[in-house]
Amino acid sequence: MTKGGTKEALGRAGRSGIDLTAAPAPNPLGTSNPCAACSVRDLSLCGALSEAELSRLEKIVTRLTVEPHAPIIDESEPARYLFNLTGGVVKLYKLLPDGRRQITGFLYEGDFLGIAMNDTYAYSAEAVNQVSLCRFPRSDLEKLLDEFPHLEKRLLGMASNELVQAQDQMVLLGRKTAKEKVCSFLLLLSRRASERGADGSAIHLAMSRADIGDYLGLTTETVSRTFTTLKSNGVIQLREAGVVVLPDLEQLEELAEGT
Amino acid sequence: MTKGGTKEALGRAGRSGIDLTAAPAPNPLGTSNPCAACSVRDLSLCGALSEAELSRLEKIVTRLTVEPHAPIIDESEPARYLFNLTGGVVKLYKLLPDGRRQITGFLYEGDFLGIAMNDTYAYSAEAVNQVSLCRFPRSDLEKLLDEFPHLEKRLLGMASNELVQAQDQMVLLGRKTAKEKVCSFLLLLSRRASERGADGSAIHLAMSRADIGDYLGLTTETVSRTFTTLKSNGVIQLREAGVVVLPDLEQLEELAEGT
DNA sequence: CGGGATCTTGAGGATGCTCAACGCTAGTGG
DNA sequence: CCACTAGCGTTGAGCATCCTCAAGATCCCG
């Protein structure tokens, strides 16, 4: 065996870490239908629905919050629920029998969670920081899909996008060097920030070096070394609390593709 | 730069290589509706449709054959058509600017081709051997999707499956060793053969070592060396014409996951 | 202020890549 | 009919990138 990968037993993840009681509405206005006022509605599945339809959704949703490092779903567990992420960051991952881990994606607000295969989750999901979710029973949501074909269309569109992203990630994992991988990752976060109206030239890394490594197919040490090199070359600046400044996005794009 | 990858200019691919005229029906019986008699119908999108609905599909389909190594679709080209593969093997790939290539999948009969992003293909596709396709204009197929919600549902199911496969491939690319990668690949082909009713203990490699390498994130040489090692360890037998015998599938599964 | 986790840095080594040569097969044309 | 060529697969030698193992630095929270 070789090829890095976190091999710890995924350690302490604070009891269940899931809190149903104190879950606030994503955008707590005084409305009777929090979905209508949801700040991530347009980013997400629910953007396909009218206000009237939203009230149907409202009836089957449970809002909850999850503490950092707490599990959300577990691979091979029956897929009873689907989730919509309304705040925080979630990592999806798969494990090999000996503990090597591959993170297949980081989810942000508006992202959808719960793709299943034969009614069983295809991966595990864990909160990176404090996370807010909308949870739907799968059977109920499927009924809604039958009623609202445009909801199904939206879901198909989201799945297609994920597929395209997955293919980009395969190129990264199979053919890019460590430096190209790290630069691609920084660019991904930058673009994600821009899409959400933030400044793309400074990003926040919510996840650890180990998580980044398991996402890029590298070890923690290689990620750290690559950051150091990029910093001393002036490509990035490392600030406090996981903030990374990207002074030259065009240069970063070139470094991400090896040109 | 480093990290292998075919860098040839994708060379000669015999004119356009696409032949519209001589395209036979997949299963040439004397029926008026070839779709109804299609041998891959159950594997594929069309399995969701009744005979009456099939005749609608029949009206928008064009059958064609493609010669080995000929291009089928080109990344970043407008996505005017979608395809259903009825025979042969197709490879999907993406290129980096310097020519490094990642093959994101091999398609077999029954597989669907043409996922798009913003009306543009997300990858290129090329025939590995002689290929038969059903081609649908995208706009026409989308109209059918609106009419037949169960068709859309089927498509969503197929997309979900692809997503799950893509995640497995990320684990392979990011965390497996060369030997594990090759064994995983052989197992994949074995399972695919079994699903199609063939014997899973002997498979046929339609693609070159270079293609296998670009699929697994390895070089041709490493693929070749790994085959040689597996052969001398008795894990596989190499026969003529790309046939590989897999005497012990359980052993192969262990080798594929490093246990 | 202490202790655990995370991040960084270093030294050494292994896996898989690069470059190169050779064998094999099939197709071509003299 | 057979040399000739082109494409593909195999094998070898050397080496670079990235991993492993280890120790020290930094940060965070109690």
Side-chain angles (χ1 to χ4, degrees), chain B residues 25-54:
Chain B
N27 190 351
L29 301 181
T31 60
S32 60
N33 185 346
C35 284
C38 178
S39 57
V40 302
R41 179 177 160 200
D42 291 337
L43 288 169
S44 132
L45 190 65
C46 330
L49 296 175
S50 69
E51 297 243 345
E53 291 163 341
L54 272 184

Side-chain angles (χ1 to χ4, degrees), chain B residues 4 177-178 219 221-222 225:
Chain B
T177 65
T219 57
E221 295 93 328
T222 300
R225 275 186 251 272

